[in-house]
Amino acid sequence: MNPQVRIFVAGGDTLLGSALLRRLGGRGCGTLVGVGHDEPCLTDASAVDRFFAKARPDYVFVAGGPSGGIAANQRRPADLMRENLLVAICALESAHRHRAAKLCYLASACAYPRLCPQPMREDALHTGPLEPTNEAYATAKLAGIVLCQAYRRQYGAPFISAIPTNAFGPGDDFRPEEGHVIPSLIARLHAAKIASQEVVTLWGTGTPRREFLYADDIADACLAVMAHYDDASPINLGGGTDVSIAELAGLVAEVVGFRGRIAFDPSRPDGMPLKRLDASRLQAMGWQPTTSFRQALEQTYQWYMQNVAVEEAAHAR
Ligand code: GDP
């Protein structure tokens, strides 16, 4: 990409936003704008518009807005929905007003119906009721997709949307009551190892299946679709590893070195029974992930040890 091209990652502090910044910075493509303290508050329409007027980004990735695991979605549905709606409204309107060359909105796999045929194809959106544990957040993400389509239809805006599968990686939210399953399991099983705990009880039945993809690989897929995809229909960013929660727990235990027993508490919710994306559109573009699941879990644990566990140990002293 031409170094004159200006790229804005809205939500540079999120899991996928920070992975995008690493990817873009590492490739030295284009000039990044709105990084760190220069990023406007994404829920403040006038701040976002002032930023676009000044920074004039050509390419915009919308990775902003809070997300969380099953417990955070149950506790804070209003916050998650409101903030994600505002981020989509502010970013898309300013990108349109200031004529960005292209915008890619990142939605979420929970936008698919709860009992969607697997693997989930893009044309299955809007075909059934959503999973109740994250209905509010998922509705906001669906609204973001439809808003991109509406700007395309009404104004011919060059907006696309992409649906990433369950992501994990460096910079994830490792607080067990807030985060998604992989960072929560890393934090909980690591703590259990340190405390020589014999049993760790995880949530639900352990039978739901999830597809996981390393955040840096998803970032790479985002760059591919920004460069090569231009259609009103969203495109799935999948092609990751499909495992049950019980299998995942075994793998994470191996990576962190927890040798105790893993139990499940079926009184806690399972969420969607299955969640796996059909990635054929992305694969037809020649895209494949490059990090193995095991390697990605190890790199994420390493990041956790160097950044989160070290700080927690310092606070405990
Ligand atoms: P989901 O993919 O939207 O359902 O969200 P999560 O990533 O939070 O949860 C995925 C699955 O992992 C659900 O079936 C949870 O019940 C299960 N799970 C088991 N233990 C945990 C845990 O400690 N934290 C989280 N977040 N999920 C867990």
Side-chain angles (χ1 to χ4, degrees), residues 69-70 134 179-181 184 188 202-203 208 210 245 269-270 275:
I70 198 162
N134 53 29
H180 284 279
V181 61
S184 300
R188 297 182 62 196
L202 303 181
W203 305 344
R210 295 285 181 273
I245 299 302
D270 268 343
K275 223 200 281 184

Side-chain angles (χ1 to χ4, degrees), residues 222-264:
C222 287
L223 301 191
V225 301
M226 182 65 106
H228 303 297
Y229 188 77
D230 188 19
D231 196 271
S233 166
I235 180 167
N236 284 339
L237 308 182
T241 300
D242 175 16
V243 287
S244 73
I245 299 302
E247 287 162 353
L248 171 72
L251 273 171
V252 175
E254 261 179 51
V255 167
V256 312
F258 171 71
R259 294 190 211 291
R261 191 166 66 80
I262 289 168
F264 283 93

